[in-house]
């Protein structure tokens, strides 16, 4: 069975971006992992968008292995900061 995965470009120095540094300041390296999981999920979508609804939040709690409050706070911070 072949690998059904696609590649997308990832800057090797993304961790130095000021917005990523702010994210790590609030969430530590755990938040950096959260960020890339969300990016991978977005890359899997035809239009690179996910609706912000309860289904997606529930899916993120599973993917990020955390609770719903933390997911909601993380997404809110990524959007607003």
């Amino acid at each position: 069975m072949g690998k059904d995965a696609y590649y997308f470009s990832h800057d090797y120095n993304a961790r130095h971006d000021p917005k990523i540094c702010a994210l790590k300041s609030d969430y530590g390296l755990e938040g950096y992992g959260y960020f890339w999981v969300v990016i991978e999920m977005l890359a899997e979508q035809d239009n690179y968008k996910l609706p912000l609804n309860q289904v997606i939040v529930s899916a993120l709690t599973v993917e990020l292995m955390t609770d719903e409050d933390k997911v909601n706070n993380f997404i809110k911070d990524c959007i607003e900061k």
Side-chain angles (χ1 to χ4, degrees):
M1 180 188 291
K3 181 178 167 186
D4 189 21
Y6 299 95
Y7 171 83
F8 64 90
S9 179
H10 169 98
D11 293 338
Y12 70 87
N13 62 348
R15 70 188 182 284
H16 298 303
D17 182 277
K19 292 177 186 176
I20 295 294
C21 289
L23 181 144
K24 290 188 301 186
S25 174
D26 292 341
Y27 293 91
L29 286 176
E30 183 178 48
Y32 191 58
Y34 289 178
F35 174 79
W36 285 109
V37 168
V38 171
I39 294 299
E40 289 172 3
M41 289 176 69
L42 291 168
E44 292 170 339
Q45 304 306 304
D46 289 333
N47 59 0
Y48 304 105
K49 295 179 183 180
L50 286 168
L52 186 54
N53 59 35
Q54 187 57 46
V55 171
I56 298 304
V57 170
S58 293
L60 282 168
T61 62
V62 173
E63 290 290 323
L64 303 178
M65 297 174 9
T66 192
D67 61 77
E68 191 172 307
D69 286 338
K70 198 164 190 179
V71 168
N72 281 318
N73 289 334
F74 179 77
I75 297 299
K76 180 177 180 278
D77 287 348
C78 285
I79 292 170
E80 294 179 1
K81 285 190 175 184

